[in-house]
């Protein structure tokens, strides 16, 4: 497997909102660093081989969109073990002002599933911070028979923050989809036209 790294040095200048918002009601950052740089985004896995994924970060640095063109899981005649399960690990490396932490608020993993009766698809999304013990785990079962779109929504615990006491942190997000048993013809992808899966990651900030 090859990793594809995207280097973006993006200065971010923003003022913190004048009013604090309760943590559980956050829809926009209640406090943000005055300066932040995205040092790097890397993707590694069978669902995101080099050149097959695109990463976009919005102007506020709170929304990350990753689109995949080869994150397709298939079973049935003519398929092999590598087709039955795909994964992609996204590593986000941020540098920011001292005294801040960040945490994922929500992700949406959207796709298309065509699963016959007797078969089952499963998609998972796991989050962790490098250097911090513990993970947030989310899953969506896709039992057959079904044909249509699906969305795996993850809302990581707001109390799970990156380490304090530094100016950088690394967040890891591991996604995976598989289908079983493998004898019947089945498919998981974003849709039958584009064949893409999109993951949106919202980041929230707070002072240490």
């Amino acid at each position: 497997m090859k990793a594809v790294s995207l280097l973006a040095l993006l200065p971010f200048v923003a003022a913190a909102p004048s009013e604090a918002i309760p943590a559980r009601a956050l829809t926009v950052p209640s406090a943000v660093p005055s300066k932040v740089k995205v040092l790097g985004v890397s993707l590694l896995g069978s669902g995101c081989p080099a050149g097959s994924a695109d990463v976009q970060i919005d102007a506020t640095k709170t929304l990350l969109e990753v689109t995949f063109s080869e994150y397709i899981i298939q079973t049935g005649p003519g398929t092999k073990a590598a087709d039955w399960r795909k994964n992609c690990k996204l590593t986000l490396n941020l540098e920011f002002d001292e005294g801040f932490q960040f945490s994922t608020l929500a992700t949406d993993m959207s796709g298309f599933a065509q699963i016959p009766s007797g078969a089952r698809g499963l998609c998972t999304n796991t989050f962790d911070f490098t250097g911090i013990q513990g993970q947030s785990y989310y899953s969506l079962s896709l039992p057959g028979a079904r044909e249509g779109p699906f969305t795996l929504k993850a809302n990581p615990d707001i109390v799970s923050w990156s380490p304090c006491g530094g100016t950088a942190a690394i967040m890891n997000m591991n996604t995976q989809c598989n289908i079983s048993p493998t004898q019947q013809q089945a498919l998981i992808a974003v849709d039958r036209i584009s064949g893409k899966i999109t993951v949106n990651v919202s980041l929230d900030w707070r002072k240490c």
Side-chain angles (χ1 to χ4, degrees), residues 121-189:
L122 178 68
C123 289
T124 64
N125 203 343
T126 305
F127 300 86
D128 66 79
F129 291 100
T130 298
I132 298 293
Q133 291 186 345
Q135 293 181 328
S136 298
Y137 176 85
Y138 301 87
S139 65
L140 177 67
S141 180
L142 301 167
R146 64 171 293 148
E147 180 173 353
F150 70 87
T151 301
L152 169 57
K153 291 185 176 291
N155 292 286
D157 223 349
I158 198 68
V159 300
S160 180
W161 295 87
S162 60
C164 247
T167 59
I170 297 175
M171 182 193 75
N172 305 297
M173 180 175 70
N174 294 278
T175 66
Q176 175 186 306
C177 291
N178 64 73
I179 302 171
S180 62
T182 59
Q183 294 81 10
Q184 300 184 76
Q185 187 172 354
L187 168 76
I188 294 178

Side-chain angles (χ1 to χ4, degrees), residues 30-181:
S30 57
V32 294
S34 60
K35 297 178 182 178
V36 61
K37 293 179 180 179
V38 179
L39 297 181
V41 178
S42 64
L43 302 171
L44 179 64
S46 56
C48 51
S52 70
D54 179 63
V55 179
Q56 297 291 331
I57 302 170
D58 80 336
T60 69
K61 308 302 179 293
T62 62
L63 180 65
L64 176 70
E65 181 175 278
V66 186
T67 56
F68 303 94
S69 61
E70 296 186 23
Y71 205 145
I72 300 171
I73 299 88
Q74 298 181 82
T75 58
T79 63
K80 52 187 181 298
D83 302 319
W84 306 337
R85 173 189 174 278
K86 294 289 178 72
N87 78 291
C88 184
K89 177 181 179 181
L90 181 150
T91 300
L92 177 64
N93 189 351
L94 294 182
E95 182 181 67
F96 44 87
D97 294 341
E98 187 174 0
F100 282 89
Q101 298 173 279
F102 74 92
S103 172
T104 20
L105 281 180
T107 66
D108 293 323
M109 179 175 169
S110 302
F112 178 89
Q114 188 176 39
I115 312 290
S117 179
R120 182 178 76 103
L122 178 68
C123 289
T124 64
N125 203 343
T126 305
F127 300 86
D128 66 79
F129 291 100
T130 298
I132 298 293
Q133 291 186 345
Q135 293 181 328
S136 298
Y137 176 85
Y138 301 87
S139 65
L140 177 67
S141 180
L142 301 167
R146 64 171 293 148
E147 180 173 353
F150 70 87
T151 301
L152 169 57
K153 291 185 176 291
N155 292 286
D157 223 349
I158 198 68
V159 300
S160 180
W161 295 87
S162 60
C164 247
T167 59
I170 297 175
M171 182 193 75
N172 305 297
M173 180 175 70
N174 294 278
T175 66
Q176 175 186 306
C177 291
N178 64 73
I179 302 171
S180 62

